[in-house]
C-alpha cells in the first residue's frame, strides 16, 4: 500500500499524519534522544513526555520493574517543565516535517487552562494530548479520568484555551466503563481519543518482603496489556464518532493492523521503544509488507471492519 497517510480530525480541527504510527508519551523522551536510532521525520507524529507548568523530579527509585511480557513504571511524571521544553527542546525538533504532539497534565483545572494556553499559542506544536490519569488535588485526589464529569471539565478547559490545535484526550483503562468517559470527552469538545494509558499494578520482592517499586503501585505497559487495549479501542471506537488512537503493547506492524481493524485511526508505540529504540521506525518500514500480506489496500477497508457475531458480548 502506497498511501499510508491518515487524518485525525473532528468537524473543526484536523491533523494529517504521513502514516498512522506515533511514538507514545513518556517512552520517547522529548524526541531528540531517539534521533540516533532513526529519522524522526519518518514518524507519523511524536508525542513528548508529559509536561507540567513547573519542572518535576518524579518519584523516588526504584521506579521501574520488569514483569512477565511487560513492565511497571512509577516515574511520577518527571519532566523539565513547559518553559524549558519550549525554549530548549522544541526548537531542536524537526517540527516542520513531523507533527509534534505535546502531552500535558496538571492537578487542577486552572493549571490545565494555563498549560493549554501556553502550548496552544506555540506555532510548532501540532496538537495537544491531555493526560487525564493524574489526580485532581482540589477534588480529593481521584484521577480526572476516572469520572465522566471531571474528564469532561478538563477537556472543555483545554479545548477553550488551546486555540486552533486539535485536542486529543488520553483515557485511563482503570475505570469500570471506558465508553462513558469517552462519550463525555467527545461531548466536551475532544478532537480525538487516545487509549490506553497504563494499567494500575504492583510487583513484590518476596525475599525482601517489600514492593519492587518505591511508590508501591505503578502502571503496567507492554505486550501484557495489548488485549486490554484492543478491547478498549474496540469499545470506544463503537461509541464515539471522533477518531481513536490505539495504544498498548504494540510492537510490530501486524499489531498496528489489529488496532486499526478494531477501530483505531492511528496508533502509538510505547514500551517497545524502551525494549528496542528503533522499534517505531522498524514498524513503519514493515507496514507496507504487512498490508500486502493481509490484503489491505487502503485504511478505510480495514478500519473498524472486525467481523463479529451480531450479539457479541464480553465472553
Ligand atoms: C516509562 C513510562 C512513562 C510514561 N509516561 C507517560 C506520560 O508522561 N504521559 C502519558 O500520558 N503516558 C505516559 N506513559 C504511558 C504510555 O504513553 C502508554 O500509554 C502506555 O505505556 C501503554 O502503551 P505501551 O504498552 O505501548 O507502552 C508512560 C509509559 C511508560 C512505560
Amino acid at each position: 500500500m502506497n498511501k499510508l497517510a491518515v487524518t485525525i480530525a473532528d468537524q473543526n480541527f484536523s491533523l494529517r499524519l504521513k502514516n498512522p504510527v506515533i511514538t507514545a508519551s513518556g517512552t520517547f523522551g522529548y524526541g531528540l534522544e531517539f534521533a540516533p536510532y532513526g529519522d524522526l521525520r519518518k514518524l507519523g507524529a511524536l508525542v513528548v513526555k508529559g509536561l507540567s507548568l513547573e519542572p518535576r523530579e518524579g518519584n523516588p527509585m526504584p521506579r521501574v520493574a520488569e514483569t512477565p511480557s511487560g513492565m511497571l513504571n512509577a516515574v511520577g511524571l518527571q519532566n523539565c517543565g513547559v518553559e524549558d521544553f519550549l525554549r530548549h527542546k522544541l526548537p531542536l525538533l524537526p517540527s516542520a516535517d513531523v507533527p509534534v504532539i505535546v502531552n500535558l497534565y496538571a492537578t487542577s483545572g486552572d493549571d490545565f487552562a494555563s498549560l493549554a494556553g501556553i502550548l496552544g499559542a506555540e506555532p510548532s506544536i501540532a496538537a495537544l494530548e491531555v493526560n487525564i490519569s493524574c489526580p485532581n488535588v482540589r477534588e480529593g485526589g481521584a484521577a480526572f479520568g476516572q469520572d465522566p464529569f471531571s474528564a469532561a471539565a478538563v477537556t472543555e478547559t483545554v479545548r477553550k484555551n488551546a486555540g486552533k490545535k486539535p485536542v486529543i484526550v488520553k483515557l485511563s483503562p482503570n475505570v469500570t466503563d471506558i465508553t462513558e468517559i469517552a462519550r463525555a470527552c467527545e461531548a466536551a469538545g475532544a478532537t480525538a481519543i487516545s487509549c490506553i494509558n497504563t494499567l494500575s499494578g504492583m510487583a513484590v520482592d518476596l525475599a525482601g518482603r517489600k514492593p519492587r517499586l518505591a511508590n508501591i503501585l505503578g502502571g503496567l505497559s507492554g505486550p501484557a496489556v495489548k488485549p486490554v487495549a484492543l478491547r478498549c479501542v474496540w469499545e470506544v471506537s463503537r461509541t464515539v464518532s471522533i477518531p481513536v488512537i490505539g495504544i498498548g503493547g504494540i510492537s510490530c506492524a501486524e499489531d498496528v493492523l489489529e488496532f486499526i481493524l478494531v477501530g483505531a485511526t492511528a496508533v502509538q508505540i510505547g514500551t517497545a521503544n524502551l525494549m528496542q529504540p528503533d522499534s517505531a521506525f522498524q514498524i513503519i518500514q514493515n507496514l507496507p509488507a504487512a498490508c500486502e500480506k493481509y490484503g489491505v489496500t487502503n485504511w478505510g477497508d480495514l478500519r473498524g471492519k472486525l467481523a463479529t457475531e451480531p450479539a457479541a458480548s464480553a465472553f
Side-chain angles (χ1 to χ4, degrees), residues 24-26 49-50 73 77 103 131 170 196-197 221-222 247-249 270-271:
S25 182
K49 174 71 190 163
N73 92 82
L77 297 162
N103 182 283
N131 177 4
K170 182 166 177 179
I196 56 176
N197 212 314
S221 63
I247 324 169
T271 299

Side-chain angles (χ1 to χ4, degrees), residues 4-144:
L4 291 177
V6 296
T7 304
I8 311 268
D10 64 4
Q11 287 163 346
N12 303 307
F13 303 94
S14 171
L15 176 64
R16 181 97 173 142
L17 313 182
K18 59 178 85 74
N19 64 65
V21 179
I22 305 169
T23 52
S25 182
T27 65
F28 206 69
Y30 299 99
L32 287 168
E33 297 89 332
F34 282 75
Y37 305 103
D39 183 352
L40 297 178
R41 294 168 302 180
K42 296 238 161 90
L43 299 170
L46 63 87
V47 185
V48 301
K49 174 71 190 163
L51 292 174
S52 49
L53 275 177
E54 299 298 330
R56 278 176 61 104
E57 284 193 357
N59 289 328
M61 312 273 182
R63 52 192 195 179
V64 292
E66 269 191 53
T67 60
S69 299
M71 66 176 278
L72 280 169
N73 92 82
V75 169
L77 297 162
Q78 175 185 13
N79 76 96
C80 63
V82 67
E83 206 182 303
D84 183 70
F85 172 74
L86 294 181
R87 199 173 291 172
H88 300 298
K89 303 195 188 310
L90 184 60
L92 303 178
L93 287 169
S95 56
D97 299 311
V98 58
V100 174
I101 301 175
V102 171
N103 182 283
L104 59 129
Y105 83 95
T107 53
S108 74
D110 290 347
D111 285 1
F112 269 116
S114 308
L115 261 177
I118 296 168
L119 296 167
E122 175 50 61
S124 7
I125 292 174
L128 307 187
E129 182 182 60
V130 193
N131 177 4
I132 56 171
S133 302
C134 40
N136 181 349
V137 290
R138 298 243 172 95
E139 302 282 340
F144 289 98

